[in-house]
Amino acid sequence: EVRNPVETLLVNDAEASRLLAISRSAFHVLVAEGRIKRLKLGRSARYRRSDLLAFTERLAEQAENDATRAPAASTLGGGTSW
């Protein structure tokens, strides 16, 4: 049976990494670091779509915060503006 991943609440690691557009190896590192929550169902691991969305929202917030903290172009390289 072919599932429509848009309709499922839980996805496996292959689907989750595809949704995040990263390799499965990179996805497993994020899980091991605790940045994405894993749910165990028997011997299977599944991931909530809501957790994947929350992860991407945290990344976006971090990127916005990093951008506001970045030094102005005029202070880079001794005042040289690119």
Side-chain angles (χ1 to χ4, degrees), residues 2-40:
V2 176
R3 294 181 292 162
N4 181 350
V6 173
E7 296 175 3
T8 59
L9 295 175
L10 299 175
V11 295
N12 64 24
D13 63 340
E15 294 165 324
S17 60
R18 184 177 49 77
L19 288 169
L20 295 174
I22 60 175
S23 70
R24 284 175 74 178
S25 298
F27 178 76
H28 286 286
V29 169
L30 294 171
V31 172
E33 292 174 346
R35 297 175 69 188
I36 296 176
K37 188 175 184 178
R38 178 179 68 177
L39 303 176
K40 290 291 284 181

